[in-house]
Amino acid sequence: MKRLLITGAAGGLGRVARKRLAHLAPTLRITDIVDLGPANANEEVVQADLADPKAVMDLVEGCDGIVHLGGISTEQSFSKILDGNIIGVRNLYEAARAHGQPRIFFAGSNHVVGFYRQDEPVDLSSPVRPDGIYGVSKCFGEALARFYYEKVGQESAIVRIGSCFEKPTDYRMLSTWLSYNDFVRLVERVFDVPWLGCPTVWGVSNNSRAWWSNDAVRYLGWHPKDSADGYEAEVRANNWPSADHPLARLQGGNNTADPLSRD
Amino acid sequence: MKRLLITGAAGGLGRVARKRLAHLAPTLRITDIVDLGPANANEEVVQADLADPKAVMDLVEGCDGIVHLGGISTEQSFSKILDGNIIGVRNLYEAARAHGQPRIFFAGSNHVVGFYRQDEPVDLSSPVRPDGIYGVSKCFGEALARFYYEKVGQESAIVRIGSCFEKPTDYRMLSTWLSYNDFVRLVERVFDVPWLGCPTVWGVSNNSRAWWSNDAVRYLGWHPKDSADGYEAEVRANNWPSADHPLARLQGGNNTADPLSRD
Amino acid sequence: MKRLLITGAAGGLGRVARKRLAHLAPTLRITDIVDLGPANANEEVVQADLADPKAVMDLVEGCDGIVHLGGISTEQSFSKILDGNIIGVRNLYEAARAHGQPRIFFAGSNHVVGFYRQDEPVDLSSPVRPDGIYGVSKCFGEALARFYYEKVGQESAIVRIGSCFEKPTDYRMLSTWLSYNDFVRLVERVFDVPWLGCPTVWGVSNNSRAWWSNDAVRYLGWHPKDSADGYEAEVRANNWPSADHPLARLQGGNNTADPLSRD
Amino acid sequence: MKRLLITGAAGGLGRVARKRLAHLAPTLRITDIVDLGPANANEEVVQADLADPKAVMDLVEGCDGIVHLGGISTEQSFSKILDGNIIGVRNLYEAARAHGQPRIFFAGSNHVVGFYRQDEPVDLSSPVRPDGIYGVSKCFGEALARFYYEKVGQESAIVRIGSCFEKPTDYRMLSTWLSYNDFVRLVERVFDVPWLGCPTVWGVSNNSRAWWSNDAVRYLGWHPKDSADGYEAEVRANNWPSADHPLARLQGGNNTADPLSRD
Amino acid sequence: MKRLLITGAAGGLGRVARKRLAHLAPTLRITDIVDLGPANANEEVVQADLADPKAVMDLVEGCDGIVHLGGISTEQSFSKILDGNIIGVRNLYEAARAHGQPRIFFAGSNHVVGFYRQDEPVDLSSPVRPDGIYGVSKCFGEALARFYYEKVGQESAIVRIGSCFEKPTDYRMLSTWLSYNDFVRLVERVFDVPWLGCPTVWGVSNNSRAWWSNDAVRYLGWHPKDSADGYEAEVRANNWPSADHPLARLQGGNNTADPLSRD
Amino acid sequence: MKRLLITGAAGGLGRVARKRLAHLAPTLRITDIVDLGPANANEEVVQADLADPKAVMDLVEGCDGIVHLGGISTEQSFSKILDGNIIGVRNLYEAARAHGQPRIFFAGSNHVVGFYRQDEPVDLSSPVRPDGIYGVSKCFGEALARFYYEKVGQESAIVRIGSCFEKPTDYRMLSTWLSYNDFVRLVERVFDVPWLGCPTVWGVSNNSRAWWSNDAVRYLGWHPKDSADGYEAEVRANNWPSADHPLARLQGGNNTADPLSRD
């Protein structure tokens, strides 16, 4: 790649991506709706709103790879999710279509299946059961990515990210944690494999308690090496839920118990 | 039911519903974004934009059943689909939540799986493959309906309508046709069954060529009685496609070949 | 067959069997724990307790076919179910083993899967979810029948009977009804097919609302011809449940709501 | 079609095809390794050996449809099966490739799965279990047909014919019978559907006892209308097997008990 | 936990449990039908017959966890199995219901599927094929546990134990061995996980030859660490079966060849 | 074993087998259609044509195990494949039948499913999609092996070999490589397991990118220990394909792009 676009670069995972993905291309173009600070060497910094189609066209032009972390990544008001995760994603794919179809790493979410119980095996044949309007918006994104693949051959990796943080800090994350290192290795693979197609990948480290399997995408050559297992004692000491806690029974954890936003 | 709301009542299927569903409730409240003409006896006519949350709140108040045919039902510009099928649907479900959770007949579409081939058996375990931005918006609607069911117990029938017209007029409709009579019977069943849950139903008549099976929802007691078979000779005479015609190979038919809208 | 044994012949279904199965063999040997009245021509009447192994040995001797309707067929005290459906069934299979392995029609029950919802497709790969101690005892009987087949080749038809009554009288029976005629035809088939093996059959008529499919046992040549559909208006008039009624949501119906017996 | 080639036209099914398929094309080219008698009007009669590649090239030239009934259709010596069903089939597909890829109706056989029991549901995901060297040769033919489809887009219907005779004459045929009328209708459909692909079809009439389902190929619009059911009394009177007869337990029937040919 | 009940504490596995599970609760209440010797510190020793409902009520009172190893664990007379594994298990669940529903580790058995071949993948969708009256009684226990979960929310882990011994000593145990350490870790997990539900777990160590997978219950966080692999040379030296030995072909091994008990 | 026959011993894999399998039997009988050089100690060297039934009878006589690597192992002319892989395989199985049914290691090929995409999970329920006439011939061989197992109990391991070479040398082989050591270990297992049956095994090392799973044949106790992973850097340096290279998308790799042989 010559130029890799990273959207949402001011977010939690975006800041990791900015720091850790620089080796993937001579130029990183990083963007967010908020200020990103000064550009590092090899960086192009663009403040932009994904909901603005013209701005997104400009963002994508000249890029041959996109790591799409932008938009909203938690349960928030519908209007914000609409802008970021519905309109924004559509803008992105239209811009990709207009500019040579750079491969896209699409940050989806496990919250598309959050209302399954933790003892229910879920795979790609399981109908979605989103646990919030955020999860619903990610269903939209997945469907859009698939559509552009079938329609014009636009390649995307749809990555249903578990919990991508420094370390797992609660019971559920012992199952869902994705380490930063494993995230980086997955991005590398998505852009490295000669032919990608449009796979759906569970973004989860090699946790013994992980509910999901990536056996269906072994062709990607991604092998998460980190595991939440080593953090179990720490989690156990601080934060072991009771049987009726939302973290204990449903895959979506606390999201399943959040109040439904009215705005 | 005391009052049944029919959205999209000025559309093709909406006009059928207006005429044919009056027996379901003493009062029909019918609505559309365009003029609906004068109210018939037992009708309340409300012109409203589904994209307007306040208007939708008012629409739903006092209704104990909803036949949601509103929004956009063909491939159109994204902005129209956004208003009708994304914002509009979310407005509808929020209004339902605020007003006693009337049961909802949600007019979804077979175009959520339009990029499967006609020789591929598709069922509820098949990941979506929408064939246009319209189909993508219906994936959003399905996900939203499911979410409200899991979250607050809102009941919906998600009906993946095939081709609901007077009669089948092309080769593909020999597989996908839903007669008006069968549509009416399905609506009846959705509001008649004591417990509905949130089933996904293929809206298709008893056509021998139908690709989809409703065996999973036999508890609804819906038995389509019409069949496209009797129209085969007529279709054959007028409109038999060649092997490479979009009607001949993919389930979505012409939609799969439509140009992607840019606006 | 020369002599067909019918157990439980004083019960509801047993009386039907006594009347309607006489054509299957020159001699019917009928038995129950209660008095059966005088023998008809061609009948041998034996009052016996299935829990008594010696009595069951005598019952089975000389028979070349068994329709096993005996034991308990509703939710009752554990001690009664133990005698009739655990000890009694084991006695029967031991007696069959000792006496030439007459083919057995085993009256099982849909209540082995009663805790599935009515919108959940259930088939032979679905783990059991019995809805009472009665259903649990039928799981025992199914397992025992399978064991004798694998171990010594004893043939049985395990028939998960729905609701075998004169006619369907409530909402759930529109799905689960088995007519007497279809019951008789099924018994005929079980004894008529040259090789039976050990199939599991759903004992249900050709009801449009039936939840279960017998596609896996089409080799039996059984085609239920009756349907609950014609009784729908009658049921609707008398007995349409509310959404939260036990008849409306779970396959086991009222059994799922029965108090658990303590004795 | 302008010219339809029928191979194996002197065989049992071939003679039916010769008589009954004339309406499909102005010219029938009929061929067999044995004498076919004089040509009827609209017939081209060619005596030819399918094992001779040059002869087959000539046969196929100018044809725009092929009903391939040629080769060996019963358990015979390996050398005959090799000539007819291995070399002959490969010659046919090579000739089709050289001459515009006319659509092919390939007469396969249920004997590719003959060693399944009659109570085992078999579908297209079931690995083959051929019951003779004849069945093995049909596995070869199926694989070859699929290969030509994947490689060069050659369309074929792989038809696993059950028992295509005047009427069912034994117990097993109550399950496997394909009537001549239904055979003819299937051929019509194979050449009528705009896009065929490379489906596998169970060639069986609408018998209640049929073990196989064509639900996966409903797009073909083929609806067998005959049924073996009406012949059950006749079969029962003449020819009801014992439990250990090869007709009673395995899908392949007598073939499973045939001695293995040594030549 | 405050008090953990261990039933069957005088049996082979019971003695291991008595020694190795003391860390799980301040008080162990241990019971068996035979004498257990003097109580260790922190132990309450109760000799009791599981077939006696009153005794079992007393046993369970005051306990907040149960490791149920009691009853019969090999093929024995039906009367013994009836007392221990049918009546005894029902007594236990009734007592649990009466006393606050302590979580139950239910020692089930692989012999519920013993008549599958070793090359047949078996999972929770596989119908039972018990290999003895012992296996049949475990099917009863599984069904009962499931029923109490559905009915009143009683949590159980149904553990289909392979071969839990000091070390694997024959060919089959290279597949089925469960080490004592892995058994202990599994018990720990069953009582440690916040929400358990009613999972079915294969009680087998991390043997390369293991036929069963616990992928469906990864949420338990159980990771067997031992393996039979290291014992292969020893087994091979002493005890390698011939092809027709019962250890070599069916999952249930010798049980499948045991004579059927008559008492 | 007393005498192990290795066919195709002059081929690439055959030479490995000759060197590495000598420990399996006191006598190796090695054969090929070409000269094999002088016999080593403990070797019997026989030059023979597999297409000659008499020669094959002589070859097999006195052997109690067969590693069948003979025939054609690449895409070649049909006539060569016919002789080696159709006639030759049938000769081998007939000879085995005549001479005590020695167990057979049958070298099949992944090219029976070569037209699946690399992102499509393929298992034993996937219908074949051979990628050449070579792959078609291996379908024939698999079907024949299965037939002899069902018919006369002849045991075979059908091994769908990936790419068995010194080391992986291109992108696809990172998925498909089978090391020589793992090949040897697999042969050992096939002859070591007491009961073999007729399993289908994917012949692939423990590569992280492997598309196929051997979970269904864990009873064999085969644990590939090598992995292509260590060669990834080397492959990457020399030979990373573009997205449209045949190595990048279909499982069969270059075979899928080979011209179809005409002779």
Side-chain angles (χ1 to χ4, degrees), chain A residues 28-51:
Chain A
L28 284 195
R29 181 176 291 171
I30 61 173
T31 185
D32 206 297
I33 197 171
V34 302
D35 183 59
L36 281 154
N40 296 320
N42 306 323
E43 282 187 351
E44 297 171 359
V45 172
V46 186
Q47 191 167 350
D49 182 352
L50 293 174

Side-chain angles (χ1 to χ4, degrees), chain E residues 213-251:
Chain E
S213 162
N214 276 315
D215 282 358
V217 292
R218 294 184 73 190
Y219 76 106
L220 293 181
W222 178 52
H223 325 302
K225 293 179 181 159
D226 295 321
S227 166
D229 297 15
Y231 299 89
E232 183 158 333
E234 191 178 330
V235 166
R236 191 178 293 274
N238 301 329
N239 200 349
W240 207 244
S242 60
D244 55 359
H245 193 284
L247 291 172
R249 187 164 172 277
L250 295 176
Q251 297 197 7

Side-chain angles (χ1 to χ4, degrees), chain B residues 160-223:
Chain B
R160 293 180 171 176
I161 293 177
S163 307
C164 198
F165 295 103
E166 186 86 33
K167 62 179 187 178
T169 55
D170 64 29
Y171 171 72
R172 176 177 167 272
M173 287 194 211
L174 296 178
S175 296
T176 62
W177 187 55
L178 174 67
S179 77
Y180 290 153
N181 282 338
D182 284 333
F183 164 75
V184 168
R185 280 188 281 261
L186 176 54
V187 176
E188 290 170 353
R189 288 310 191 180
V190 163
F191 290 101
D192 169 71
V193 75
W195 173 82
L196 177 65
C198 188
T200 301
V201 185
W202 298 97
V204 66
S205 281
N206 190 23
N207 315 321
S208 301
R209 291 180 188 259
W211 309 312
W212 314 305
S213 163
N214 276 316
D215 282 357
V217 292
R218 296 184 71 192
Y219 76 106
L220 292 180
W222 178 53
H223 325 302

